Amino acid sequence: MSNDPNYRSVTCQASPNIALIKYWGKRNDEFILPDNDSLSITLDLNDLYSYTTVSTSSSMTSDTFYFDGIQQTKLSGRMQKVLNEVRRRSNKDNQIKFVEIRSHNTFPESTGLASSASAYASLAIALTNLFNLDNPQSTAAYLARIGSGSAVRSVYGGFVRWSSEGECLSSCIYPVDHWSELRIIILIFNSSKKPVSSTDAMQRTRETSTLFQARLSTINEKIEKLIEAIKIKDFNTFAEIVMKDSSQFHAVCMDTYPPVIYLNEQSKHLIDLVHAYNRMDGNKIMKVAYTFDAGPNPFCFIRQEHVEEFLRLLKYFYPTTNDDVHGEVSDVKEEFSSIKLPIMANAVERIVRTKIGSGPKIIP
Ligand code: DP6
């Protein structure tokens, strides 16, 4: 293929993002226009990412897609939608005929870790570059969004807002280094596939939940408060808003009929553990905040100074026979004995330590 003079190829790496204020509900399914604004943190490329190479050449006779090196029998409807939009936009030069897409993730799919976000963001940016599309940033955001809503936020690094008005695109509200002591610790309790996809569940919520409207009516106020907390690095306010939005989102899922339940026993245990831990010093400072997407695995936000202590807490409450899970963290006995919660042996499959990232990268 590389002997073909018309062969061109672009590779892009993009990370998942974690919603601090969740996107849930579409007012337009085809263009993925959201019911509400959302706010997220893009993760560091060094830890978790999707890696997508898109190539084209005049000798290709169809679009092909390889995931983890394995050719897929067909492209998903959403992937086709993205490619059709690229064809529409690049038609003037008749540039695009067919493409080959090769993609892989460094983390398990469908665990509530937004693998579709990083996958579509990397695909969108690679396509935008490969075909030199106009207005590359907004075009990439648009293409990512019609692939998977939350992917629009992975097109940027740092703290990102996705607007539900106007063009419904995303923008970086604070860059990666704005709050550099913030860390993210992800606990993977369960890496099996989620029971109901976000796409199906949010549609069901729209049709059946009455709490949903109440959520929408207060979301902008909440976002403004959170942006202010991020601006002045007020972790206490940040933590409270983030945890409450996570709970409200899961309450709305529960209010959906039939209910959608993403949290499990371990998730509930972690929620209690974080609150007990935050209360240990008399509730004066919050050390950790959690949020859960459409899955049971918590994303914990914490400042660097508390990371080692929190990792010891996790080792104490989630002991495991797999040495890799806790790594070098030292053993503890007395430190957390005031927390009266059960010890959950072998509950955690993996712990990922990461931080805020600077956004996608084109790989030379
Ligand atoms: C709970 O972006 O996966 O993670 O737009 O249908 O592809 P589609 O849904 P998706 O939904 C993500 C929902 C969420 C919250 C969020 O990331 O904001």
Side-chain angles (χ1 to χ4, degrees):
M1 195 70 77
S2 51
N3 296 333
D4 181 339
N6 297 315
Y7 177 84
R8 289 176 300 130
S9 156
V10 172
T11 296
C12 177
Q13 221 180 346
S15 313
N17 67 80
I18 299 180
L20 306 170
I21 302 291
K22 311 293 180 197
Y23 141 59
W24 199 247
K26 299 177 186 63
R27 59 189 163 82
N28 178 300
D29 288 325
E30 189 185 350
F31 297 106
I32 310 201
L33 306 180
D35 281 311
N36 66 279
D37 283 30
S38 54
L39 201 72
S40 62
I41 283 178
T42 298
L43 299 182
D44 190 354
L45 272 181
N46 291 315
D47 302 315
L48 303 160
Y49 60 86
S50 297
Y51 188 95
T52 302
T53 301
V54 185
S55 42
T56 188
S57 87
S58 49
S59 58
M60 287 181 187
T61 53
S62 65
D63 294 322
T64 46
F65 174 44
Y66 292 79
F67 185 72
D68 278 344
I70 299 166
Q71 183 167 6
Q72 308 296 299
T73 44
K74 62 182 177 72
L75 274 68
S76 70
R78 285 182 172 197
M79 214 174 242
Q80 274 163 1
K81 192 164 62 164
V82 172
L83 292 182
N84 288 343
E85 183 62 21
V86 174
R87 288 197 173 93
R88 198 182 67 78
R89 289 182 188 230
S90 63
N91 230 358
K92 50 184 187 306
D93 309 324
N94 201 16
Q95 288 171 320
I96 173 169
K97 289 198 165 61
F98 297 107
V99 293
E100 179 190 277
I101 301 166
R102 288 180 175 266
S103 195
H104 74 259
N105 298 326
T106 56
F107 52 99
E109 276 198 288
S110 299
T111 59
L113 285 168
S115 57
S116 64
S118 49
Y120 276 104
S122 56
L123 174 66
I125 294 168
L127 285 166
T128 303
N129 274 270
L130 186 62
F131 296 105
N132 279 320
L133 300 181
D134 293 340
N135 308 314
Q137 287 227 297
S138 53
T139 299
Y142 181 94
L143 293 173
R145 190 194 74 210
I146 63 171
S148 179
S150 54
V152 74
R153 298 185 310 238
S154 274
V155 166
Y156 295 97
F159 294 84
V160 181
R161 181 177 189 158
W162 177 17
S163 171
S164 57
E165 284 163 16
E167 302 276 287
C168 293
L169 298 177
S170 49
S171 55
C172 169
I173 54 166
Y174 289 108
V176 54
D177 49 9
H178 169 70
W179 199 351
S180 49
E181 58 271 40
L182 210 58
R183 295 287 177 275
I184 297 120
I185 295 178
I186 306 169
L187 274 73
I188 303 191
F189 286 135
N190 183 338
S191 56
S192 59
K193 219 169 151 61
K194 54 187 157 188
V196 190
S197 73
S198 316
T199 310
D200 293 346
M202 68 175 82
Q203 188 179 351
R204 200 193 292 172
T205 296
R206 275 189 124 242
E207 287 161 5
T208 61
S209 166
T210 43
L211 273 186
F212 179 57
Q213 286 306 327
R215 170 173 167 74
L216 292 184
S217 68
T218 57
I219 228 152
N220 281 344
E221 194 186 328
K222 190 155 55 174
I223 289 190
E224 296 313 325
K225 282 193 183 136
L226 182 57
I227 291 178
E228 182 58 25
I230 295 168
K231 180 178 168 197
I232 60 172
K233 300 171 205 162
D234 169 358
F235 189 80
N236 277 15
T237 306
F238 171 89
E240 186 172 331
I241 295 174
V242 167
M243 291 191 283
K244 282 184 170 173
D245 190 67
S246 172
S247 301
Q248 188 187 63
F249 156 58
H250 288 279
V252 163
C253 288
M254 189 66 164
D255 186 50
T256 297
Y257 190 81
V260 180
I261 303 173
Y262 289 120
L263 304 182
N264 64 16
E265 278 310 303
Q266 287 101 317
S267 323
K268 256 181 65 215
H269 184 275
L270 184 280
I271 291 172
D272 289 339
L273 183 60
V274 165
H275 288 288
Y277 177 55
N278 283 341
R279 275 196 307 269
M280 260 177 65
D281 292 334
N283 231 0
K284 282 196 213 58
I285 58 152
M286 296 243 217
K287 291 181 181 167
V288 182
Y290 53 76
T291 188
F292 297 84
D293 276 350
N297 302 320
F299 307 99
C300 300
F301 301 100
I302 183 165
R303 281 159 295 177
Q304 171 63 42
E305 61 191 293
H306 303 302
V307 166
E308 292 308 319
E309 186 186 57
F310 184 57
L311 291 175
R312 290 201 299 277
L313 178 85
L314 296 178
K315 186 166 182 183
Y316 180 75
F317 280 97
Y318 305 120
T320 149
T321 45
N322 177 354
D323 290 342
D324 295 341
V325 173
H326 295 287
E328 298 297 296
V329 178
S330 54
D331 285 324
V332 282
K333 285 200 178 70
E334 302 304 324
E335 202 177 357
F336 305 113
S337 55
S338 63
I339 298 179
K340 303 291 177 219
L341 282 172
I343 290 189
M344 306 263 276
N346 295 317
V348 179
E349 285 179 13
R350 195 176 152 200
I351 295 176
V352 179
R353 295 172 60 170
T354 185
K355 53 185 194 300
I356 310 181
S358 55
K361 201 163 79 182
I362 297 283
I363 309 295

